[in-house]
Amino acid sequence: MSTVSAVVVCYNHARFLREALRSVDAQSRRPDQVVVIDDASTDGSQGLIREWAAASGLNPTVILHAENRGPCPTFNEALRLVDGDLIAALAADDYWLPDKLRLQADVLDAAPAAVGVVYSDVPIVDELGQTVAESFLNSYDAPSPRPAGAVFESLLDHNFVPGPGAMYRRACVDEVGYLDERLQHEDWDFWLRIAAHFEFAYLDADVARYRRVAGSLVGRIAKSAYVVDYLRTLDKLSAERLPWHDAVRRKLLSLASELCAEGGSDARWALRLRIKHETGPRKVALALVTLYGLVPPRVLNQIRKLKVQRG
C-alpha cells in the first residue's frame, strides 16, 4: 500500500484553520506524513497551528515563516519535504471529508503507474460554510462525462481540477518539477504539465469542500494577470513540442490576441508572443506593428482584432 503525505498551506486563514486541520485529523485513512506551513500570517494562525500540532497524534512537520514568501515558494517548500508515494494538498481555507484520503489512495493504488492524478468534484462553500455551488467542475465549465485518461486537451480549454479534490503521485513531481514561482495563478500550469506525461482518473465521490473567500488572492488577481500567467504556461509548453503542439499554439494565439486588444500594459509583450508563434503573412504583418510609424493606427486596430484561425 502506498504511503500518503498531506500538505496544508496557510496564510491568514485563522477563521477556517481549525476546520481544515480537524479534517486532516479526522481521516479514516491516516496520512503517513503531514506537513503544515504558515506563510507569515498576522491573524493568529501560527498560534493555532502550534496548539493543534501539540495535541494531534499525527506528529506533523510544522514550518512557520517569519516573512511572507508567497504561495508558490511556500508550497514548493512543502513539496520538497514530502516523502510519501501519494500527495494531497489542502489550502487552510478549504477542508476534506473523512474518507478523502482513503478513497483516492485506493484509486491510485489500483491504477497503473501511468495514472498520476485522481480528482473529484467538490461543492463550493462561502465563508460561513454555506453551499454556493453544488459543483466546482460545472462552475469551471468542465465537460461531462468528466475527463479521464488523457485529459491534456480538456484541461487546455478548462482549468477544472479542484485543489482540495485531487491527489497525485510523487512521481508526477519528480517528472515535471515544482510549481512555477513566476506565476500568481499556478495550478493550471501544474496540472497541464502533469497531464502532458500522466493520465488522470475521475472519482465520483464527495471528498472535500472548496471555499470561496472575499478578498482572497484568487479574487484579487485581475483577469489580465490570469491571462499573462496562462500565456507564460502555454509558451513553455509550446517549446516542448508535445503531441498537442498545434492546440497549444492556437490557444496561445487566441489569448495573446485578447490581451493585445485590451491595450493594457501587457499588450506589447502579448504582441511579441504572437509574432513568435504566428506563421506566414500574419507573422509579417504583426512584426510591422513593432516598427513605430510604419503602421497607421487604423490598420493596427484591425490587426489587433484579427481572429485566430482554428485548424
Side-chain angles (χ1 to χ4, degrees):
M1 185 171 66
S2 299
T3 55
V4 177
S5 294
V7 172
V8 181
V9 177
C10 178
Y11 176 64
N12 284 343
H13 288 146
R15 290 178 294 166
F16 317 114
L17 182 57
R18 286 190 177 92
E19 188 170 29
L21 294 175
R22 280 199 302 263
S23 79
V24 178
D25 257 326
Q27 290 300 301
S28 59
R29 199 289 191 202
R30 305 283 279 176
D32 300 281
Q33 179 193 25
V34 178
V35 178
V36 181
I37 298 189
D38 180 86
D39 193 23
S41 292
T42 57
D43 65 348
S45 290
Q46 296 197 353
L48 295 176
I49 292 171
R50 290 191 190 96
E51 292 174 10
W52 172 80
S56 172
L58 293 173
N59 191 29
T61 298
V62 173
I63 298 174
L64 306 175
H65 289 171
E67 297 181 0
N68 184 266
R69 303 178 189 178
C72 288
T74 298
F75 190 72
N76 282 343
E77 184 179 358
L79 283 180
R80 291 185 176 97
L81 296 171
V82 162
D83 55 26
D85 303 310
L86 309 176
I87 303 169
L90 184 66
D93 52 346
D94 302 326
Y95 63 94
W96 292 331
L97 298 188
D99 289 331
K100 145 82 179 183
L101 297 184
R102 178 181 65 82
L103 291 172
Q104 294 192 328
D106 284 350
V107 170
L108 289 177
D109 277 340
V115 178
V117 178
V118 57
Y119 74 101
S120 301
D121 199 0
V122 301
I124 301 174
V125 299
D126 63 17
E127 297 178 46
L128 299 177
Q130 301 299 310
T131 300
V132 296
E134 293 290 344
S135 169
F136 180 100
L137 272 70
N138 287 346
S139 296
Y140 286 83
D141 298 322
S144 188
R146 302 313 189 190
V151 304
F152 184 92
E153 289 188 271
S154 295
L155 268 174
L156 197 60
D157 287 331
H158 307 285
N159 178 21
F160 55 78
V161 179
M167 176 183 283
Y168 50 95
R169 299 188 193 276
R170 170 69 204 212
C172 294
V173 180
D174 295 337
E175 176 68 34
V176 309
Y178 298 98
L179 301 185
D180 187 336
E181 297 184 4
R182 299 173 301 170
L183 305 179
Q184 297 183 69
H185 190 66
E186 75 291 336
D187 59 343
W188 190 59
D189 173 87
F190 190 56
W191 297 130
L192 271 175
R193 285 189 284 129
I194 292 176
H197 299 277
F198 293 89
E199 296 179 359
F200 283 45
Y202 176 71
L203 173 65
D204 186 10
D206 193 14
V207 299
R209 295 293 182 270
Y210 174 90
R211 196 183 307 271
R212 188 169 286 164
V213 180
S216 67
L217 177 62
V218 171
R220 295 195 308 269
I221 297 175
K223 179 184 176 182
S224 60
Y226 280 107
V227 175
V228 167
D229 277 358
Y230 290 171
L231 285 171
R232 285 176 174 148
T233 291
L234 294 168
D235 190 36
K236 288 188 304 179
L237 289 171
S238 180
E240 294 186 25
R241 307 298 300 185
L242 299 169
W244 308 277
H245 176 76
D246 288 343
V248 170
R249 175 180 167 274
R250 287 195 298 269
K251 183 74 171 182
L252 184 152
L253 290 173
S254 177
L255 289 176
S257 180
E258 289 181 20
L259 203 57
C260 285
E262 289 181 6
S265 59
D266 295 304
R268 186 167 294 279
W269 172 76
L271 179 60
R272 288 198 298 269
L273 269 186
R274 288 188 67 187
I275 295 170
K276 176 180 176 181
H277 291 278
E278 276 287 8
T279 57
R282 192 184 298 262
K283 185 182 185 77
V284 175
L286 288 171
L288 290 175
V289 174
T290 64
L291 302 177
Y292 295 106
L294 291 186
V295 181
R298 178 178 58 82
V299 177
L300 175 57
N301 289 334
Q302 290 175 346
I303 292 173
R304 283 176 173 170
K305 293 177 181 177
L306 285 175
K307 300 297 184 182
V308 177
Q309 295 177 347
R310 294 187 176 272

